[in-house]
Amino acid sequence: MKDPGTSYRLAVLASGSGSNAARFMSYFRGHPRIRVALVVSNNASAPVLQRAREAGVPAKVMPGPAWDDSRTAESVFNQYGIDAIVLAGYMRLLPSFMIRKYPGRIFNIHPALLPRFGGKGMYGMHVHRAVIDSGARKSGITIHLVNEKYDEGPILFQAKVDVVPDDTPVDLAVRVRQLEHDHYPRVVEGYLLQGRVPEKPAI
Ligand code: GAR
């Protein structure tokens, strides 16, 4: 947490559709202390880039090689004055120089209840299929700080949904996605501004 009263400029990193990135852009539009200042994708054809254009947020494509030189990569984040990073369906591991640059200020969301169903290769539908195949009766979301290992940083927040009989991975993904949209921006907001995770709103 920075000093009380200071503001945050977020970079949202996403590889695909970017529905969570879009949620951040709308949630923080006009916010007095937090703004989405940059969207970054590793994938030049990711729909998230169009969503950023529509929201008037600068967007950059940074494929794998763009991260090879730490000074060049860091200069992009410096140029936009980025103070914190939100991973929203970002399918690459962030290089360790970025984790050192933003200690305790990189967030990730995972579409299941970690520590189960995480790790390399566990993203999107792979996760929902693994949950259903395991026979678990509950799934959900995990919002956590990022360290150098996939899905292993300190957990800030989890919320659950039922896995119902005959759920397909797509059915479960729809329910989990709704939870992501409901909670991810406000959990990041609470953590940055108050240094703690806000209570779940009564729904
Ligand atoms: C989200 O469900 C997010 O939890 C997941 O990718 C999806 C991106 O959706 N992330 C992972 O699986 C990370 N391991 P979106 O592009 O519509 O925001």
Side-chain angles (χ1 to χ4, degrees):
M1 189 171 59
K2 293 205 280 190
D3 292 337
T6 49
S7 306
Y8 290 87
R9 294 171 61 83
L10 303 182
V12 180
L13 276 54
S15 300
S17 126
S19 72
N20 280 284
R23 231 353 241 138
F24 271 81
M25 291 186 274
S26 63
Y27 186 90
F28 290 116
R29 178 168 300 120
H31 192 286
R33 292 181 55 200
I34 299 178
R35 74 150 59 185
V36 178
L38 180 65
V39 166
V40 173
S41 185
N42 56 310
N43 171 6
S45 54
V48 69
L49 296 168
Q50 177 60 24
R51 293 188 191 256
R53 276 191 288 275
E54 284 164 8
V57 172
K60 290 257 177 216
V61 178
M62 294 180 64
W67 298 94
D68 286 349
D69 176 42
S70 61
R71 272 183 309 176
T72 312
E74 286 185 36
S75 72
V76 173
F77 289 77
N78 292 339
Q79 185 191 341
Y80 287 90
I82 300 303
D83 316 279
I85 293 179
V86 170
L87 305 183
Y90 185 66
M91 298 307 164
R92 294 182 61 90
L93 198 57
L94 264 193
S96 48
F97 64 80
M98 291 298 286
I99 291 161
R100 286 194 298 275
K101 183 174 170 67
Y102 294 103
R105 280 199 254 138
I106 306 178
F107 303 88
N108 185 40
I109 192 159
H110 187 76
L113 299 170
L114 292 174
R116 294 191 77 194
F117 310 113
K120 196 164 167 45
M122 288 299 260
Y123 58 89
M125 288 301 157
H126 298 291
V127 178
H128 303 304
R129 192 167 300 116
V131 170
I132 290 170
D133 289 350
S134 78
R137 308 283 293 274
K138 297 271 181 196
S139 190
I141 62 169
T142 303
I143 297 169
H144 66 97
L145 295 174
V146 170
N147 62 18
E148 293 182 24
K149 299 215 176 117
Y150 274 108
D151 301 328
E152 286 189 21
I155 290 175
L156 301 178
F157 177 86
Q158 292 186 305
K160 293 181 183 171
V161 284
D162 290 330
V163 180
V164 298
D166 300 329
D167 253 350
T168 66
V170 173
D171 296 333
L172 184 54
V174 168
R175 243 176 284 128
V176 168
R177 191 71 49 87
Q178 185 59 51
L179 268 190
E180 297 186 329
H181 294 175
D182 289 344
H183 295 293
Y184 198 13
R186 71 173 194 87
V187 166
V188 169
E189 177 188 36
Y191 188 78
L192 289 176
L193 299 187
Q194 282 126 40
R196 65 182 171 78
V197 173
E199 294 294 309
K200 253 197 237 187
I203 299 176

